[in-house]
C-alpha cells in the first residue's frame, strides 16, 4: 500500500528511472495513472535480474512516487488556474521557499482549454486546497501540495493521518459542494425570473 511505497521511496533514488508524466499535453484536469503503471510494469519486467534487490525496489518506488506526485501537482495546479486562481507568491514567505516554488513550477506548461475556463469562469475563487484520501498522509505529497498553497496564496488542508484511509470523504465532500452549487444556481435563476 501507500505507506509501504512511501517507506521504500524515502530510501530510493527518485532519478533512477524517468517515468513519463501522464497526460502532459491533455487539456483537462483529469488524473490518469494507467500509462505510468504500465511503464513501471515494463521496467520491472525488463529488470528481472534486479527485482528481488532492495535497492531496485526502493529506486522504482521513489521514481514512481515522484512521477505520480508531479502528475497530481500539475493537474491540481491546472485546476486551480481554471478556477480563477492566479499564482501569487507572498513576500512574507521565506525567500528560499519562494525561489524553490517558482523554480518547480516555471517549467510546467499550462494547457488550459478555453472552453473549460469559460465554463468555470462564473465560479468563485477557491479559498483553500483540500487534499484527502489515503495518499494525503504522504509527507512528500504534502510538501509538494504545500508548495501549491504557497504559489496560490491558499491554505492547504489535510485530514489527520488516521483519517487518510480512502477517497470516500473526498467523494462525499465533492458531492456536497456540487449539490450546494446546484442549489445556489437554482436559487439565483429563480430570483432572475
Amino acid at each position: 500500500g501507500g505507506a509501504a511505497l512511501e517507506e521504500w521511496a524515502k530510501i530510493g533514488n527518485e532519478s533512477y528511472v524517468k517515468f513519463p508524466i501522464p497526460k502532459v499535453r491533455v487539456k483537462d484536469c483529469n488524473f490518469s495513472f494507467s500509462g505510468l503503471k504500465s511503464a513501471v510494469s515494463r521496467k520491472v519486467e525488463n529488470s528481472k535480474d534486479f527485482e528481488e534487490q532492495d535497492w531496485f525496489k526502493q529506486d522504482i518506488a521513489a521514481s514512481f512516487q515522484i512521477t505520480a506526485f508531479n502528475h497530481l501537482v500539475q493537474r491540481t495546479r491546472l485546476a486551480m488556474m481554471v478556477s480563477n486562481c492566479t499564482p501569487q507568491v507572498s513576500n512574507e514567505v521565506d525567500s528560499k521557499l519562494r525561489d524553490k516554488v517558482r523554480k518547480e513550477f516555471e517549467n510546467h506548461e499550462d494547457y488550459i482549454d478555453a472552453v473549460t475556463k469559460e465554463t468555470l469562469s462564473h465560479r468563485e475563487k477557491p479559498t483553500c486546497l483540500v487534499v484527502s484520501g489515503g495518499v494525503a498522509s504522504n509527507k512528500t505529497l504534502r510538501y509538494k501540495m504545500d508548495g501549491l498553497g504557497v504559489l496560490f496564496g491558499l491554505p492547504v488542508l489535510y485530514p489527520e493521518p488516521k483519517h487518510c484511509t480512502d477517497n470516500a470523504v473526498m467523494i462525499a465532500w465533492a458531492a456536497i459542494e456540487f449539490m450546494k452549487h446546484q442549489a445556489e444556481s437554482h436559487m439565483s435563476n429563480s430570483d432572475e425570473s
Side-chain angles (χ1 to χ4, degrees):
L5 177 74
E6 183 176 14
E7 287 305 310
W8 283 106
K10 281 181 192 173
I11 303 165
N13 174 6
E14 66 186 31
S15 301
Y16 177 67
V17 181
K18 290 291 184 195
F19 290 120
I21 296 176
K23 297 176 66 88
V24 170
R25 302 210 187 290
V26 178
K27 300 177 184 181
D28 63 32
C29 300
N30 298 325
F31 299 98
S32 174
F33 296 97
S34 59
L36 177 56
K37 288 190 288 187
S38 296
V40 171
S41 293
R42 279 191 304 276
K43 179 64 179 174
V44 170
E45 185 65 33
N46 293 332
S47 305
K48 287 287 187 197
D49 296 344
F50 305 116
E51 71 181 336
E52 295 302 317
Q53 302 293 321
D54 282 350
W55 68 264
F56 180 74
K57 293 174 186 175
Q58 294 159 355
D59 290 353
I60 291 293
S63 298
F64 169 80
Q65 179 176 271
I66 195 67
T67 305
F69 289 172
N70 284 341
H71 176 54
L72 287 171
V73 167
Q74 286 178 354
R75 295 283 121 179
T76 304
R77 180 174 183 250
L78 183 60
M80 299 295 286
M81 294 180 78
V82 168
S83 298
N84 294 320
C85 280
T86 47
Q88 54 180 18
V89 178
S90 166
N91 288 332
E92 298 171 14
V93 175
D94 176 76
S95 62
K96 258 186 172 174
L97 177 59
R98 183 174 54 244
D99 292 343
K100 179 172 179 20
V101 168
R102 282 194 177 132
K103 183 178 180 204
E104 180 158 348
F105 292 107
E106 72 185 3
N107 296 323
H108 296 175
E109 294 184 49
D110 296 311
Y111 297 98
I112 300 175
D113 182 12
V115 175
T116 303
K117 188 160 179 118
E118 180 60 31
T119 302
L120 297 176
S121 65
H122 66 282
R123 293 193 178 175
E124 292 181 27
K125 289 182 183 181
T127 56
C128 65
L129 172 61
V130 177
V131 182
S132 66
V135 73
S137 64
N138 185 293
K139 289 181 179 132
T140 301
L141 180 62
R142 284 180 177 228
Y143 177 78
K144 288 182 156 295
M145 290 299 186
D146 285 344
L148 267 183
V150 168
L151 184 69
F152 288 101
L154 295 173
V156 183
L157 308 177
Y158 308 92
E160 291 180 41
K162 68 181 179 183
H163 298 299
C164 295
T165 55
D166 68 26
N167 288 325
V169 171
M170 179 186 66
I171 293 167
W173 190 338
I176 289 168
E177 291 297 320
F178 178 77
M179 290 185 329
K180 188 168 88 176
H181 177 73
Q182 292 295 88
E184 289 170 0
S185 294
H186 179 69
M187 289 175 67
S188 69
N189 288 341
S190 297
D191 292 344
E192 292 173 8
S193 333

